[in-house]
Amino acid sequence: MAGLVAAARARELGADVRVLEKGSRAGGSMLLSSGVIWRYCDFEEFRRQCPGGDPSLQRLVWERLDDALDWLGRLGAPVVERDTERAFTTGRRFEPRGLTAALVRAAGTIELAATGEPEAPLVVATGGSPVRLARERGLLVRSNAWSEGDGIGLALQRGAEALASDEFYGRAMPGPVPEEQFVAASQLYGRFARRVNDLGEEFFPGEPSWSENDLAQAIAAQPGGRAWYELDAAALERPEVADRIPFAQETEPLPGGGLRVRVHAAVTHTYGGVKVDERARAADGVWVAGVDAGGISNGGYASGLAQALVLGLAAAESISS
Ligand SMILES: Cc1cc2nc3c(=O)[nH]c(=O)nc-3n(C[C@H](O)[C@H](O)[C@H](O)COP(=O)(O)OP(=O)(O)OC[C@H]3O[C@@H](n4cnc5c(N)ncnc54)[C@H](O)[C@@H]3O)c2cc1C
């Protein structure tokens, strides 16, 4: 997303732009997403939820998001819901294919399956390194297939500073699924389950956070990066559970009408990356946007699409100023 946003905004400001895309299609993980671009209603809540992030970058995303959403609307990106489902967050839900199409139209020609050394000024926006992290840790991938940390490596080579973090945004998944099922098949009901690893240990005491991102990371730390969700008969009746169970790939009955469901940790995007300032600048001639930039969601969970949108705009405006 961030690369398309930066290209669209830079063209709007009069720049000539080349867009190099490694994959066979544009849109990255944005195209696979639920399309909800959001922020916490209250900045203090953002700080509480993501205490490891850089307050000035968080402030940038928080303050600029509403205008940025209007900008997306002006490009013709189709809004399907004008607010989020949660009282403590606000934003808009876009239809991901229409959102991608609107950005592609505005970004100009996109060179697909592109390789080679890009020139300066350069906006790096390659979607972090979920594919590499998943490979290294033996986890599932729940992102586009091309984000392997290339942009982070390039920015570091050109003088940017690394921002290390082991954290990622992820979900519990029933097993490998085709990318069009990444949203529907997520097993997002761990709060109603007893959470047990392959050694039979309950590994996650207490309540998972509202996003269950903390639980996904705890599953990643279990043997094999997997676990079981044990559900009693009452939990199985809940709509949040019943809607997701049909995607389960491995289950075992429990006494009393319960069920245990196999879940695997899957990586959507990484939190480590490149250090940027509030103009998305990382080094001379290098801007970094989207989740290649670290330091926003750390310690919790915040919208990756919001990060991509705001940093993409900030990079284009900084280059054009
Ligand atoms: C199933 C799913 C649901 C999600 N739902 C939401 C949601 O509702 N709300 C939300 O905020 N976030 C959501 N996300 C996360 C969100 O999609 C990402 O945080 C966001 O897309 C990150 O934007 P980005 O521009 O950094 O990366 P991407 O959108 O992934 O774009 C990165 C692009 O860089 C390309 N690339 C990689 N390497 C290179 C290279 N070397 N050269 C050129 N191009 C390269 C990739 O192919 C890709 O097109 C979801 C993600 C998934 C997978």
Side-chain angles (χ1 to χ4, degrees):
M1 180 186 207
L4 295 176
V5 167
R9 182 69 179 133
R11 290 181 85 223
E12 207 172 63
L13 295 171
D16 279 336
V17 178
R18 262 188 94 187
V19 183
L20 305 177
E21 165 56 58
K22 178 182 178 183
S24 53
R25 58 149 178 89
S29 293
M30 170 181 65
L31 181 65
L32 310 175
S33 78
S34 307
V36 187
I37 312 183
W38 59 273
R39 64 174 172 83
Y40 291 101
C41 295
D42 176 21
F43 185 70
E44 292 315 314
E45 184 62 24
F46 192 174
R47 291 292 306 138
R48 269 193 296 279
Q49 293 274 348
C50 302
D54 174 336
S56 53
L57 292 180
Q58 292 177 336
R59 173 71 69 183
L60 174 77
V61 174
W62 190 84
E63 279 182 350
R64 287 213 50 183
L65 186 67
D66 298 358
D67 287 346
L69 291 171
D70 289 342
W71 176 82
L72 271 185
R74 288 197 295 279
L75 291 187
V79 176
V80 285
E81 273 161 41
R82 299 211 68 82
D83 211 344
T84 62
E85 290 167 354
R86 290 184 178 80
F88 58 97
T89 65
T90 183
R92 271 170 231 166
R93 181 180 186 130
F94 292 84
E95 192 284 299
R97 266 175 303 201
L99 171 61
T100 303
L103 283 170
V104 165
R105 267 195 312 272
T109 306
I110 294 162
E111 300 173 40
L112 296 177
T115 51
E117 273 288 290
E119 291 153 26
L122 169 67
V123 179
V124 167
T126 65
S129 55
V131 176
R132 195 171 70 197
L133 181 85
R135 195 169 49 230
E136 283 169 2
R137 292 184 54 182
L139 308 175
L140 296 183
V141 175
R142 183 178 174 269
S143 73
N144 79 76
W146 300 286
S147 291
E148 301 187 273
D150 302 348
I152 297 172
L154 180 61
L156 298 183
Q157 261 173 35
R158 296 200 181 180
E161 195 182 321
L163 204 151
S165 169
D166 294 336
E167 287 179 274
F168 63 88
Y169 157 48
R171 286 273 182 262
M173 297 299 285
V177 298
E179 62 181 23
E180 52 288 359
Q181 288 182 7
F182 280 167
V183 173
S186 300
Q187 302 295 291
L188 192 53
Y189 54 77
R191 76 202 64 185
F192 305 120
R194 197 169 157 258
R195 302 160 292 257
V196 179
N197 66 17
D198 280 0
L199 307 173
E201 301 160 343
E202 266 191 79
F203 62 91
F204 197 95
E207 270 286 289
S209 66
W210 65 276
S211 66
E212 298 196 4
N213 193 44
D214 47 357
L215 181 52
Q217 293 188 59
I219 295 169
Q222 303 312 306
R226 60 189 197 166
W228 294 97
Y229 283 172
E230 295 190 349
L231 299 148
D232 61 20
L236 288 169
E237 298 277 306
R238 290 181 164 275
E240 304 94 320
V241 179
D243 289 352
R244 309 278 176 155
I245 293 287
F247 293 94
Q249 296 180 11
E250 190 184 350
T251 60
E252 290 174 5
L254 290 171
L259 192 72
R260 67 199 315 231
V261 178
R262 169 64 84 196
V263 287
H264 300 255
V267 186
T268 292
H269 70 236
T270 40
Y271 287 6
V274 175
K275 199 167 161 45
V276 296
D277 67 15
E278 291 104 286
R279 295 175 302 153
R281 214 174 142 276
D284 277 351
V286 182
W287 285 256
V288 175
V291 299
D292 279 344
I296 294 183
S297 309
N298 304 54
Y301 171 59
S303 168
L305 294 174
Q307 174 169 344
L309 175 58
V310 170
L311 288 181
L313 290 172
E317 288 164 13
S318 172
I319 291 172
S320 304
S321 66

